[in-house]
Amino acid sequence: MRRRKELTNEQFENMGFLVLITVLALLCRFLLFPFESGDYHQFLQGWYTSLKDNGGFAAVGMDIGDYMPTYLYLLAGFTYLPVSGLTAIKLVSSLADIVLAVYVMKTVRLKVEDPLYGGMAYAAVLFLPSVVLNSAVWGQCDAIFTAALVACVYYFMLDKEYQAVAAFAVAFIFKLQAVFLAPFLLLLLVKRRVRPSTFLMIPFVYLLAILPALFLGRGMRELLTVYFSQAGQYKMIAMFLPNLYTWLPEDTPEYISAAAVILAGALTIAVLFYLYKRKFVFTDELFVSLALFFALFLPFVLPHMHERYFYLADILSVVFAFYFPKMLYVPVVTVLSSTYAVCHNLFNTDFFSVQLLAVMMLFILIQVARHAVRQIDLQSEQPGQVPG
């Protein structure tokens, strides 16, 4: 009886810590809500006003913005509340931060059962500078699709392929950047860890997501080609993300961009072929390492990447550090580089060379790749492992 009481007290303390951290994280964000970014004035403010002035949910059938209608559904719901557009936009993203932190905590708990470590991971994500700036200052909604991608990795680690693919589908119906984890899923497919039929869930969820907007008047062709329209919107080969193309001038010809896309595709195929030919089992540690690798790799080798596109890598690097504490430098460098890129957009910060940051990110990418390969090599050296 005494032991049960002690456990209950411990659970109460842990819950109290999570509640306190959540309240402080939200308070921190509320204080930052008044900041109005360029994206808010150029895009988000107009979208919210159009939704509010045209009946909230009734307006999701209009041609508003260049995002998937799923994000507009969320904004439309907040138009019925007595809050300003700026507050509503940032509140949506801030609530998504909490969901994101919960899935990071759950993923860390798979490695360390002690709830203390899960709580530390939860707090780290909620106060990560790139996370706070993204939702509470910039008003971006990257936490939504990233939470779904972390959930995707988490459910794969639990060997729940339907939930994992469904989570990926949810990420995809919010942001095209969900494709940063697509090679990870393709690897699981060719390694026969996921059945091909399970991937039918992705188009099913997509169609389900666009139905409300379709019924309310938006065209089917437009809804099916949202991401194609986005793909050709920006011409700059590098948008201050510290990646492979930061050394090129802003007016780089489009044929170089086209060649860069082919290069990125070739490199991705080479990586997948290498991993396909290697014999290994998917441990939790390898899941985390490979997911982080692809979250770093795709934004680094693709052109036209925005400042915030290492956001997924920021979050997965935190999980990575809890799985491999000796590699704490990975999230430190990743998050600081990502935060600097975000600050450049928000505050015109310009005191450090983005080209040097790109070199640092290349170092981190190589280190994570070497770490993943080392895990595979160790499996082959240990008897009793079942290859896959």
Side-chain angles (χ1 to χ4, degrees):
M1 179 67 69
R2 182 178 178 182
R3 177 173 175 80
R4 181 178 299 177
K5 183 178 180 180
E6 291 175 351
L7 288 174
T8 302
N9 289 338
E10 181 181 356
Q11 292 172 350
F12 178 79
E13 291 170 357
N14 293 332
M15 184 61 67
F17 171 77
L18 295 178
V19 170
L20 178 60
I21 286 296
T22 303
V23 170
L24 291 174
L26 289 175
L27 177 60
C28 175
R29 284 159 171 76
F30 290 155
L31 293 173
L32 296 171
F33 276 11
F35 183 89
E36 298 180 2
S37 68
D39 282 0
Y40 170 73
H41 286 288
Q42 190 174 357
F43 304 108
L44 298 171
Q45 184 181 33
W47 300 356
Y48 189 86
T49 301
S50 295
L51 290 169
K52 189 174 183 64
D53 292 347
N54 291 279
F57 284 114
V60 298
M62 299 172 58
D63 184 11
I64 299 174
D66 60 352
Y67 276 25
M68 280 286 291
T70 40
Y71 180 60
L72 299 181
Y73 301 156
L74 297 180
L75 293 186
F78 277 82
T79 61
Y80 299 98
L81 301 178
V83 295
S84 68
L86 183 63
T87 298
I89 289 165
K90 294 187 175 184
L91 191 56
V92 168
S93 300
S94 296
L95 293 175
D97 288 347
I98 298 174
V99 178
L100 173 61
V102 167
Y103 270 104
V104 168
M105 177 176 65
K106 291 164 73 73
T107 306
V108 169
R109 289 290 301 274
L110 294 180
K111 174 68 174 180
V112 187
E113 292 186 4
D114 188 342
L116 172 64
Y117 291 90
M120 291 299 102
Y122 179 86
V125 169
L126 284 183
F127 285 98
L128 213 63
S130 55
V131 172
V132 176
L133 288 171
N134 188 278
S135 59
V137 179
W138 204 340
Q140 294 288 344
C141 59
D142 293 291
I144 300 176
F145 87 91
T146 303
L149 290 182
V150 175
C152 172
V153 176
Y154 170 74
Y155 288 123
F156 273 130
M157 292 165 72
L158 293 178
D159 202 24
K160 296 181 177 180
E161 67 175 79
Y162 287 107
Q163 292 92 324
V165 175
F168 178 84
V170 170
F172 186 71
I173 62 174
F174 278 97
K175 280 293 185 72
L176 179 59
Q177 287 73 51
V179 299
F180 292 160
L181 216 57
F184 176 72
L185 270 70
L186 183 57
L187 176 63
L188 292 170
L189 176 65
V190 298
K191 283 289 191 178
R192 299 181 180 178
R193 280 298 302 262
V194 184
R195 286 166 289 189
S197 59
T198 307
F199 285 95
L200 293 175
M201 193 176 302
I202 297 175
F204 173 75
V205 171
Y206 189 99
L207 292 173
L208 197 64
I210 66 175
L211 281 179
L214 180 66
F215 288 149
L216 288 168
R218 200 161 174 181
M220 173 64 85
R221 182 178 179 181
E222 180 190 352
L223 289 168
L224 291 177
T225 59
V226 169
Y227 289 143
F228 291 100
S229 300
Q230 287 182 5
Q233 187 174 1
Y234 298 99
K235 303 301 181 183
M236 293 173 57
I237 194 168
M239 301 182 69
F240 210 78
L241 184 80
N243 72 355
L244 190 60
Y245 305 101
T246 54
W247 290 276
L248 298 180
E250 292 183 3
D251 58 348
T252 299
E254 289 190 21
Y255 63 82
I256 294 181
S257 299
V261 172
I262 295 175
L263 171 64
L267 291 173
T268 304
I269 291 172
V271 169
L272 289 174
F273 186 70
Y274 171 81
L275 293 172
Y276 168 70
K277 297 298 288 185
R278 293 297 305 269
K279 302 297 183 182
F280 59 87
V281 295
F282 284 96
T283 62
D284 287 353
E285 291 77 9
L286 195 54
F287 269 123
V288 170
S289 301
L290 290 175
L292 174 58
F293 168 77
F294 285 114
L296 288 164
F297 179 72
L298 267 294
F300 192 84
V301 300
L302 279 169
H304 308 300
M305 295 290 99
H306 290 240
E307 299 92 338
R308 65 185 190 277
Y309 282 4
F310 278 134
Y311 186 95
L312 173 62
D314 291 351
I315 303 304
L316 290 176
S317 69
V318 172
V319 178
F320 183 83
F322 277 92
Y323 274 69
F324 309 102
K326 292 182 179 180
M327 299 189 73
L328 180 62
Y329 63 89
V330 170
V332 171
V333 175
T334 302
V335 172
L336 287 179
S337 298
S338 183
T339 300
Y340 179 80
V342 168
C343 287
H344 175 267
N345 180 288
L346 291 173
F347 314 120
N348 295 316
T349 303
D350 190 14
F351 62 85
F352 199 82
S353 168
V354 67
Q355 289 80 15
L356 182 56
L357 282 179
V359 173
M360 295 167 62
M361 290 305 298
L362 177 60
F363 169 77
I364 293 299
L365 175 60
I366 292 172
Q367 289 300 103
V368 172
R370 289 182 59 195
H371 180 78
V373 171
R374 194 179 303 122
Q375 290 180 72
I376 294 172
D377 291 340
L378 286 174
Q379 285 190 23
S380 63
E381 295 171 4
Q382 296 174 358
Q385 292 280 9
V386 179

